[in-house]
Each structure stands twice: as C-alpha cells, then as structure tokens.
Amino acid sequence: GSIPREVLVPELPPEAVAVEEWLSARRGSRVRLRVPRRGDKKALLETVTRNAGESLALHKTRRASDLTTRSRALQEIQDALGIDEAPLRIECYDVSNLQGTHVVASMVVFEDGLARKSEYRRFAIKGTGGTDDVASIYEVITRRFRRYLEEREATGELDSLGDTEVSAEVIGQPRKFAYPPNLVVIDGGQPQVAAAARALAELGIDEVAVCGLAKRLEEVWLPGEDEPVIMPRTSEGLYLLQRVRDEAHRFAITYHRAKRSKAMAVSELDSVPGLGPARRAT
C-alpha cells in the first residue's frame, strides 16, 4: 500500500523496466515510472526535489556540527589508514580542466572535521601536463610544500645554519602555507596518490600522511599499496573523507569556471596588434 501506481522521477534509471516490474510485484498491480514534462506533476517533482535538497543540507550541517560524530570520524580515519595520530588538519587537492585547457587545482582545509574556508587556496597549473592529472597533482603538492618549507625557514623554524632570528620584514606577513596537515587527501586513485607521495619525498617531508579517494567505488588508496582500503559505507570516517573530497571538487570547479568565463569574455580584438583598450572599447 505504500507504493503508488505512478512514481515521478527527474530521469529514468537504468533498467527502468526491471524497476517497474519489481515495484509492481511489491504493490500487486502495475506501477509506472514517469518523468513529468509540464503541468502540476512537474511542479510537484520540483517541489519535492527542492525539499529533499534542503533536508539533506540540514542533515549534513547537523552531522558535521556534532563533536562526538567528528571525533569518531577522525578516529576511524586514523585506524583505517594506520597513521600515528588523528588527522586534526586535513588538506584535500583536486584538479579541474576542460580538454587540457585552463588547468587549475584546489586546496581545501578541514580542521577538527570542519571546513576552514579562510585556509583554502587555488592554483593555476603552470606545467604542460594538459589533461594529465598525475603531473598536475605532482606540481601542486610540490608548490604547496615548497612554500611551507620556505616559510618555516623564513621564520627561523627551519634553518640549516642554526640562525633562528626572525627578520622584521617577516613579522606580520601572512603565512599562507605555514601549517602542515596531518593528512593529505587526493581526489583520485593510485597514480595520483603516488605522484603526491613522490613530491613529498623529494622535498624531504615524511611526517605527512597521504591517501586518495577514488570516486568510482569510494576506495581509499595509500602510497605503495596494490590494493585499496575499503571503509564501511556507513563509516563516519568515509563520510568525512567524502565531504572533504566533494568540497575540493566544488572549489576547483568554481575556479575553473571563473577562469574559463574570463577567457571567453576576451574579445578577438584583444589579439590585434596596435589596438589599445580605448579603441577596443569603441
């Protein structure tokens, strides 16, 4: 009795006929899947979709704000990855491009399981990797942690000469990359994780753990491992990794779209020699 004769969906699922047959068997009479195109039923589907989205956003907010849940998530990640301490600071990296053009990357930061948007960073990929996400990840990790080492040295935290004096020019400057994460998460699988681990090793950084989260099966990959770590689907740790990964993807896509829109807005006249801004505007 809980299954209606007609189920409205935004798009038909794969094997729609099989789904209809299964629902019909459960109901005891014919059930149809339908994509409404106009009228009241289309308006009803839009309302239900909007309400579901708002409910999901509220659920995520409540789940993320619960201290006990966040603590359990961090502990589960520590146990699953076999790292020495809970990853109180997590940085996640994602690469975005369109057929090798306007290649960008994002870095998002979660501390104690919560997003720290003031710590987010964006990168315009300088290399010639094009659609090669592996080369792009290697470049981004190298740039980020090279800056970390440079800022440590500038502030006297890392100085091979033993001179720990901090110059007046350094005091008061923003230290954008001064804090290392406990865990680096890569949006990708084994090749991307290997590239990130190689970049860290070449910089002599061995205190930062690395893992990757592959979208297809939500597998967690560790450097040098042939098989992924499979975390339970109901795991709070996996849910946190997914939120971090999804946020990095959103941030990268936003930056990529901004760069692409800016490039598309450039007039063809901008490439004509001898035309200044005033002449182009006319």
Side-chain angles (χ1 to χ4, degrees):
S2 62
I3 300 176
R5 291 177 297 175
E6 187 175 64
V7 179
L8 304 180
V9 293
E11 60 183 54
L12 291 176
E15 307 294 337
V17 174
V19 174
E20 287 181 336
E21 292 176 351
W22 181 78
L23 290 173
S24 298
R26 294 289 301 273
R27 177 181 168 82
S29 60
R30 176 71 187 277
V31 175
R32 293 180 58 236
L33 299 180
R34 181 182 169 195
V35 179
R37 302 299 182 186
R38 62 181 66 85
D40 293 341
K41 291 185 177 180
K42 185 175 187 298
L44 174 62
L45 179 62
E46 291 172 348
T47 300
V48 170
T49 301
R50 183 170 58 253
N51 291 343
E54 292 173 355
S55 296
L56 178 60
L58 181 61
H59 170 71
K60 287 183 175 181
T61 300
R62 289 174 174 170
R63 192 173 180 182
S65 62
D66 183 74
L67 178 60
T68 302
T69 300
R70 297 203 316 270
S71 298
R72 184 165 65 250
L74 295 173
Q75 184 64 54
E76 288 178 358
I77 293 173
Q78 178 185 353
D79 294 342
L81 303 187
I83 54 182
D84 294 334
E85 56 186 15
L88 299 181
R89 180 182 171 102
I90 300 174
E91 292 180 2
C92 185
Y93 297 81
D94 183 35
V95 174
S96 179
N97 71 84
L98 179 63
Q99 297 179 344
T101 62
H102 309 300
V103 186
V104 302
S106 66
M107 166 187 138
V108 302
V109 178
F110 276 56
E111 290 188 350
D112 295 327
L114 296 175
R116 284 286 304 274
K117 294 191 176 183
S118 63
E119 301 285 317
Y120 287 14
R121 299 291 178 259
R122 306 182 302 185
F123 301 83
I125 301 300
K126 300 176 180 178
T128 58
T131 58
D132 185 356
D133 286 355
V134 174
S136 297
I137 286 293
Y138 173 81
E139 176 186 326
V140 169
I141 297 299
T142 299
R143 287 167 57 185
R144 184 267 184 266
F145 285 93
R146 183 180 290 142
R147 287 286 303 277
Y148 159 64
L149 295 177
E150 290 171 352
E151 293 195 9
R152 285 189 63 190
E153 184 173 359
T155 57
E157 296 176 41
L158 178 67
D159 194 329
S160 59
L161 299 180
D163 183 4
T164 59
E165 181 180 356
V166 181
S167 70
E169 294 179 355
V170 173
I171 297 176
Q173 289 183 356
R175 301 172 62 194
K176 295 181 179 179
F177 295 97
Y179 304 105
N182 305 104
L183 175 65
V184 164
V185 179
I186 304 299
D187 184 2
Q190 189 180 42
Q192 289 80 9
V193 172
R198 179 164 57 91
L200 290 172
E202 291 176 357
L203 292 171
I205 297 174
D206 57 7
E207 69 272 17
V208 176
V210 182
C211 76
L213 185 61
K215 289 187 181 71
R216 189 171 67 88
L217 297 175
E218 303 293 38
E219 302 164 326
V220 179
W221 289 93
L222 298 177
E225 298 293 333
D226 295 330
E227 298 294 333
V229 175
I230 306 298
M231 299 181 69
R233 290 285 178 171
T234 57
S235 163
E236 292 294 340
L238 178 60
Y239 174 70
L240 176 56
L241 290 178
Q242 289 170 329
R243 283 204 303 124
V244 173
R245 187 270 317 280
D246 293 345
E247 178 68 353
H249 183 67
R250 180 199 65 79
F251 194 51
I253 288 292
T254 301
Y255 183 35
H256 180 262
R257 286 174 178 167
K259 284 183 68 70
R260 190 175 61 193
S261 297
K262 183 177 180 180
M264 292 175 63
V266 175
S267 169
E268 292 184 3
L269 293 176
D270 291 348
S271 61
V272 177
L275 288 182
R279 180 61 60 85
R280 289 199 299 267
T282 59

